[in-house]
């Protein structure tokens, strides 16, 4: 991802530490969200500040979350409480010659604002979008929610208007004076990697999305082998 | 991990939704923290609630974070603001026959309280512990922080006294009536997987921790192959 042209949409989204890592354009934000299954939602109630992980997905310029009507977080978020939603992908550990210059590679997004409640008539379509995010094609296979299930589910969405991404990539940045120290330097990359599917029932064989998941494990192995021989 | 004997240490750590997934024992908490490189810290200032990802590590019964003295989060956290620190490992997508029963497998920990500032005299040892967490053995190799670098670094720690874990494992839990639907059911597992190290400099060959990282990529491939042939 290249350096953004966009400016921070508000004071609280302006990245101050390592400002050169800040990105405020919509394409970068969408990419960070779309790569995620989970976000962290921070909010306060009368007692404390809370930070709760929950499934998330994007449709257009909104991030969505959902859950049981009984969820404290959803009840509070539905009441227009101010929230901060954060997504973080850890991409690697960056090992410099000096302890001080160690760092991590990551892609993160922070979204400020308030959630809106998704109207009953739009719930079913919103949940289909979640299903397609998790397993493309599956929304036509799984039994859709019935009236009771939909009624028991709260869906919330927050606009992506006040958001910022922070991204760090690349290798270690050592001080000039440290470059000749006899210390290993490099990156230990990490990826949230699909593992072989655990099959409980496959009455009509293996759906495309399961096959693609399976192939992603094989593909990654091939990439590893390639990297291994060239490093 | 087996069902815990321990009770929630406070009202705000008592897990209410899906309470059977709650764990309050120290061993489970330590395991969830030790598997993490990153936590999310939620806090409020005069303007908003914030949720910021940052590196974390554990020593005994404290979770540690660190950063530049100039960091807004660290300055605020150092002033004894109430925080909520959350760690989440996503372990898989759980695909049930019905849309409603879809879920995720995860291990998460939530810690409430206030951070303490780690005294100057203890900073160097604390950073060694971080280094050993990231790359065991490397704290004896990398150039340690000098006086200026240590002075520019704030280290904070929070006691693990008020914490709770929530863990979900296993396969889909479908309604009895859905069990014979012709829908694929199972788990799409995920793991934060080491990838092949990117070597920038290896003046004394490959250290043990880099070799172990490399082996972890190979080992996982072998496990995949095994799972593949047995499923």
């Amino acid at each position: 991802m290249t350096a953004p042209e966009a400016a921070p949409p508000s004071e609280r989204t302006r990245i101050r530490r390592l400002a050169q890592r800040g990105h405020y354009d919509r394409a970068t934000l969408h990419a960070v969200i779309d790569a995620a299954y989970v976000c962290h939602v921070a909010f306060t109630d009368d007692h404390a500040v809370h930070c709760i992980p929950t499934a998330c997905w994007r449709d257009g310029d909104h991030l969505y979350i959902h859950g049981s009507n009984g969820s404290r977080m959803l009840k509070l978020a539905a009441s227009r409480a101010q929230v901060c939603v954060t997504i973080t992908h850890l991409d690697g550990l960056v090992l410099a010659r000096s302890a001080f210059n160690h760092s991590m590679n990551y892609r993160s997004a922070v979204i400020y604002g308030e959630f809106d409640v998704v109207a009953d008539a739009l719930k079913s379509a919103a949940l289909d979008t979640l299903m397609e995010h998790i397993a493309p094609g599956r929304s036509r296979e799984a039994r859709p929610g019935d009236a009771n299930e939909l009624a028991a589910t709260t869906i919330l969405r927050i606009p992506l208007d006040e958001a910022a991404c922070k991204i760090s990539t690349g290798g270690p940045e050592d001080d000039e004076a440290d470059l000749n120290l006899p210390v290993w330097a490099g990156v230990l990359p990490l990826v949230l990697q699909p593992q072989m599917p655990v099959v409980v029932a496959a009455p009509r064989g293996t759906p495309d999305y399961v096959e693609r998941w399976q192939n992603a494990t094989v593909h990654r192995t091939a990439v590893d082998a390639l990297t291994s021989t060239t490093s």
Side-chain angles (χ1 to χ4, degrees), chain A:
Chain A
M1 285 168 234
T2 54
E5 299 299 313
S10 67
E11 180 55 25
R12 63 184 173 179
T13 52
R14 186 171 60 81
I15 289 168
R16 283 163 275 197
R17 304 292 318 157
L18 303 170
Q20 73 281 8
R21 294 183 182 167
H23 297 252
Y24 304 100
D25 62 297
R26 218 37 89 95
T28 301
L29 178 62
H30 288 183
V32 171
I33 297 173
D34 293 351
Y37 294 110
V38 166
C39 65
H40 285 78
V41 180
F43 59 97
T44 56
D45 62 13
D46 294 342
H47 307 293
V49 55
H50 304 280
C51 179
I52 306 292
T54 192
C56 66
W57 70 102
R58 183 181 67 84
D59 192 1
D61 282 325
H62 287 84
L63 177 139
Y64 287 70
I65 64 172
H66 79 311
S68 161
N69 295 348
S71 153
R72 172 185 57 170
M73 175 177 71
L74 290 178
K75 278 191 276 194
L76 219 99
S79 70
R80 311 282 302 168
Q82 290 292 318
V83 300
C84 177
V85 180
T86 301
I87 288 170
T88 306
H89 306 286
L90 178 60
D91 294 326
L93 312 177
V94 181
L95 276 50
R97 281 87 164 177
S98 70
F100 188 75
N101 283 315
H102 277 62
S103 64
M104 290 181 178
N105 284 335
Y106 57 85
R107 292 158 290 143
S108 66
V110 173
I111 303 152
Y112 290 94
E114 302 164 5
F115 279 102
D116 293 312
V117 177
V118 172
D120 286 346
L122 302 174
K123 279 182 180 178
S124 186
L127 292 174
D128 279 356
T129 306
L130 165 59
M131 186 74 85
E132 290 298 305
H133 173 52
I134 282 179
R138 189 168 168 84
S139 67
R140 296 186 300 275
E141 299 172 8
R143 178 177 68 70
D146 63 26
N148 286 339
E149 290 169 343
L150 286 174
T153 303
T154 296
I155 307 179
L156 303 177
R157 66 177 203 170
I158 186 171
L160 301 181
D161 295 334
E162 196 178 345
C165 295
K166 198 168 178 180
I167 294 176
S168 183
T169 58
E173 294 175 18
D174 268 298
D175 297 355
E176 193 76 27
D178 293 330
L179 287 176
N180 289 320
L181 292 177
V183 181
W184 193 92
V187 180
L188 302 180
L190 287 162
V191 73
L192 191 64
Q193 172 71 42
Q195 304 296 302
M196 287 305 288
V198 178
V199 184
V200 170
R204 289 186 174 171
T206 305
D208 285 351
Y209 49 84
V210 176
E211 203 153 311
R212 270 197 299 275
W213 192 274
Q214 207 162 308
N215 289 342
T217 73
V218 175
H219 173 69
R220 178 59 60 182
T221 303
V223 171
D224 283 355
L226 200 68
T227 317
S228 170
T229 55
T230 55
S231 71

